[in-house]
Amino acid sequence: MASLTQRLLSLTVILGAVQISGYSFKNCIADPYSNGKSFNCIRRKEKSMSAIINDLPQSVINLTISINPLWDIPNSSFVHLSRLQNLRIDHNHVQIIAEFAFKDLHQLKSLNLSFNNISELSHSVFKDLHNLTFLSLTNNKLKQLPVGIFSSLFNLDTLIVRQNFMKDFSGIAESVSHLSNLKKLDLCFNNLTSLSHSNVSLPKSLTVLYVCKNNLLKLGCNYSFLRYIETLDLSYNYRLNTMAFQGVDLGKINYLRLRSTSVKVVEFLNISNIKASHVDFSGTGLRNDSLLMVLCRSLKKKLRWIQNLNLNNNKIKNLTNYTLYYCPNITGAVNVSNNELKTTNCLNFLHNQTNIKSFSAEHNHITSLKSCKTQNMVYFQNLEELSYRYNRILYVDSYAFYHTPNIKTLKLNINTIAFLSRKAFNGLERLQTLRLDNNLLTDLFNETFEDNVNLQILNLRNNRISVIFNGTFHTLGRLTTLDLGGNKITHFQPSGLDGLKSLSKFYLDGNNLKQIDTSFYHVFQDTLTVLDLQSNKISFLNENISSPFINLTKLHDLKLDGQQPYGLTVLPHTLFRGLHSLKSLYLTNNNIFHIAPEVFDDLIGLRFLSLDNCCVGVANLQPGIFKNLRNLTKLTAENMGIQNFSKEVFGNLTQLHTLQLNRNVMQSIHIDALESLPKLRYLDLRNIPLSCTCQNSLLQNWTLQNPNVQIVYLYNLSCQHNANLKFYNFDTKVCYIDLGKYLFISTAVVIFLFTVIPLLYVKLYWNLKYSYYVFRSWFSEQWLKIREEEENCKYDAFISYNSSDEQWVMDQLLPNLEGNGSSFKLCLHHRDFELGRDIVDNIVSAVYSSRKTICVVSRNFLQSEWCSLEIQLASYRLFNEHRDVLLPLFLESISERQLSSYHRMRKVMLKKTYLQWPGSDCTNPKQAQDLFWNQLRRAMRTGSQVRTEESDKSEYCVATESEKNEHFETSDENYYLLP
Ligand SMILES: *[C@@H]1O[C@H](CO)[C@@H](O)[C@H](O)[C@H]1NC(C)=O
Ligand SMILES: *[C@@H]1O[C@H](CO)[C@@H](O)[C@H](O)[C@H]1NC(C)=O
Ligand SMILES: *[C@@H]1O[C@H](CO)[C@@H](O)[C@H](O)[C@H]1NC(C)=O
């Protein structure tokens, strides 16, 4: 009853409420934290722009429409989104952009149209975009730009036209020439053959120009055309040669790329006014010592020092002691990556360049790093950064870095190091970051990192380490991040982690740990913030363990997801004791059988909980399981087999903002459970078998009307039983009428009656009964009076008889009633019936126009059809109109058995007194017959009201009640009137 009332009430509220539009969108998802300002419409199957965005609110500032089969952008597509600032329409199939497609986007700052099929643009398409600063047209099919296309983009800062089919530079130059705020122009990957321009100049503001990967043969520009350019990329214009630069002012350039062109750098430096130190020499064919020495000499003529020397991609195989001997003093970085070096020989080729700060030899063919504690060793005191990533280094000798004692960052990752000498890092006291990830290391020893007392980040991910021996990290008191993920660690020796006094982030994911060893986590009790134990082999046999994390008071990120091969299976209810600071907990993919309702009790600070696919089959989340998670803002509970989304389980999550329930099995959701989450803004219900029945009618309404909660792709959610029907519009009218109203009203009425009737019965029974009788008698009196007055009888009696009794009627009855001093007017059918009238009508009118109907009952009479109708009619008047019109007159005595088939007649007999004709066998026939006539006359004179009293029964003619009964029962025996 209560719930029904509630239903009815909420129904009224819903119907009565003003139409607030809901907060779910057909093809877009609002960024749950952007407050309706940021939307993504990605991977939808819509071809039409309006279908994608027409339901978005006016407040949108950032909009991304990506990876859709969208092929055109019609006029005025965004007029309802005039506050847009950042618009991405990338990776669609856009071919056509209507002339006024971007109408009214006065606030737009950034427009990304990359990766579409645009081959043409109207000259006024960007007309309204006065505030645009960023425009990307990357990867389209543009061959040219119409004149004046950028004419109103005064604020444009960056223009990217990469990866198109542009041929004509002068057109581009003209269309950007007035853009006084343009800083960057990217024209890489087009089909430009020169930078020719007819009398226009680039805006002064333009400092970054990319023209890589075109078909440039010459520059073809006047002396001052590139005067303001600071960064110029001309790489991959294979045919561009040295002479192209003759007579071009490159005075402002501070970075020039010439990779994969036909430019001869030494010649180029001679004819250009460029500052030699600003040229990137990678990919310029400087493949051997002699070419490099020429370059150095040429540089040295111009400069005493240079900052960086970039020699990537030059196919250098070998660097000898004299290679860079004649170069100016290098103060910054030397980069020889992407060459074919097999060794760097302790950097001996840099023996007069000991000021360098950084050296990088990535992507070479180096196979080993040998000891550098040799006689003619050169120290690089200033070197801080050293990288040998992406080589084929198999072993690293002791003292391999003896010559670079001050390095802070050492990158040896992505090699094949299997042999790492115990003294390889000897002396590297300043080392802060050491990358050893993605190698083949199996063992670490307690000398390995002994000297690296300042190490802060140690990355050993993806090696083959299986045991951490005692004391491995004992001197690393400053280490904050230790990444041991992706190894084969099965256990730590008892003091394996000793010394890690500052450790904050500890990654152990993807190892073979079978248990969480309580003994060593006490080491970093006040420092550890992140602990990643994902994808190990941890499982628990029993529910009751003492918490291994109890002392990790600062831990805020714990990952336990995906334990191999079968998952955690048992989740001890004490596992998370003491983790008061925990903010994120990951438990996905764990085949947990049972989650105890108190397991999360200590996690009062938890913000994010991931339980996706955590459990075996149907997860029975127990009431109160989340009771202390009052700070939880995001819960992912996908594919958990949740059958029942109830308030008792989820109702405590008062700060919950985002809830992902995809792929669960509930068929209905009670909205009171959802309404108990006041901060909910984002709800993902995809792939849930929601039934489109009255059970969910309130949910449907809630999802459509709720102004705060976004239901992800609400309008795509299908009905369980029919995927073609949509949840948002299944018919719910029938639910409200049937259940809500009728059930309620009928229940209310029944209950009312049950309450009131017994009360009235007790209080008023006799009053009512009395009133009823009074009313009834009053009513019938009134009724009869009216009938009496109406009726103006033609005959005193209608005689109903069978023709076989006609003799008696004519000889006896007629003379005694019509003649003989008594002048009754009789109606006889053979005499008084209207000729030509239907016999039934005649009978009816005879009965109704006579005061009495006298039935002359004999055996023949009873068998006659017409006589029976007459009896029927007369007795109808007797029983139904309460008018005593019937006078039965028995000519012969008839037993009850014979009467029994004439139901009405029998009823009359029982009800009424009747007269019996005294036959010839009577003792005194004459006297009896006289009495008979007297009685008949008297009966005919009486009124027609029924007399129920038996008092005026004739003593002659009427049998007493008992005799009558007896007579009927004893059948055939003759019956005489008493004298
Ligand atoms: C919109 O996008 C810009 C740039 O990507 C970003 O800086 C800004 O925070 C976004 N605004 C909102 C409300 O998401
Ligand atoms: C540019 O945007 C600002 C607000 O961001 C607005 O006040 C101004 O009118 C816009 N400029 C133009 C030319 O529309
Ligand atoms: C680029 O231009 C060359 C000649 O100028 C032409 O042969 C080639 O087909 C063009 N490529 C494209 C993709 O337009």
Side-chain angles (χ1 to χ4, degrees), residues 716-756:
N716 283 66
L717 302 181
S718 320
C719 295
Q720 179 203 10
H721 58 278
N722 183 350
N724 293 326
L725 293 180
K726 299 295 178 206
F727 181 79
Y728 82 95
N729 65 355
F730 77 85
D731 191 2
T732 56
K733 271 186 229 117
V734 68
C735 309
Y736 293 131
I737 292 164
D738 270 9
L739 281 170
K741 209 152 125 195
Y742 287 148
L743 252 167
F744 174 76
I745 288 171
S746 54
T747 320
V749 165
V750 166
I751 287 173
F752 176 79
L753 292 178
F754 270 106
T755 328
V756 166

Side-chain angles (χ1 to χ4, degrees), residues 3-153:
S3 93
L4 272 170
T5 325
Q6 213 169 26
R7 268 181 180 217
L8 200 80
L9 279 177
S10 43
L11 179 80
T12 338
V13 170
I14 288 159
L15 295 178
V18 216
Q19 194 73 13
I20 321 160
S21 70
Y23 196 63
S24 299
F25 307 94
K26 287 198 178 70
N27 288 296
C28 302
I29 298 180
D31 176 338
Y33 291 95
S34 74
N35 211 0
K37 296 197 165 130
S38 215
F39 281 79
N40 290 321
C41 320
I42 300 178
R43 284 179 213 279
R44 310 308 296 157
K45 288 186 180 133
E46 273 298 340
K47 289 196 174 117
S48 135
M49 180 62 101
S50 66
I52 297 176
I53 61 168
N54 66 356
D55 58 351
L56 297 187
Q58 226 195 342
S59 58
V60 186
I61 284 178
N62 290 351
L63 175 59
T64 300
I65 303 165
S66 294
I67 322 182
N68 298 296
L70 185 69
W71 69 277
D72 78 331
I73 307 178
N75 280 332
S76 305
S77 286
F78 304 97
V79 284
H80 63 302
L81 305 175
S82 58
R83 294 187 200 161
L84 270 181
Q85 291 183 10
N86 298 297
L87 176 59
R88 291 185 60 154
I89 312 179
D90 58 317
H91 293 87
N92 295 292
H93 301 156
V94 176
Q95 290 177 21
I96 296 165
I97 302 182
E99 193 176 352
F100 304 110
F102 302 115
K103 190 164 180 292
D104 288 356
L105 294 181
H106 301 292
Q107 314 286 324
L108 199 68
K109 288 186 176 145
S110 159
L111 176 60
N112 187 338
L113 292 166
S114 58
F115 293 88
N116 281 294
N117 284 327
I118 305 164
S119 54
E120 260 182 284
L121 285 171
S122 151
H123 69 92
S124 48
V125 67
F126 302 131
K127 195 167 140 260
D128 282 358
L129 314 182
H130 321 286
N131 265 334
L132 200 70
T133 59
F134 175 92
L135 173 61
S136 172
L137 292 163
T138 303
N139 205 320
N140 278 288
K141 293 184 172 155
L142 293 166
K143 290 204 173 82
Q144 60 191 38
L145 296 171
V147 179
I149 183 168
F150 305 128
S151 59
S152 47
L153 307 185

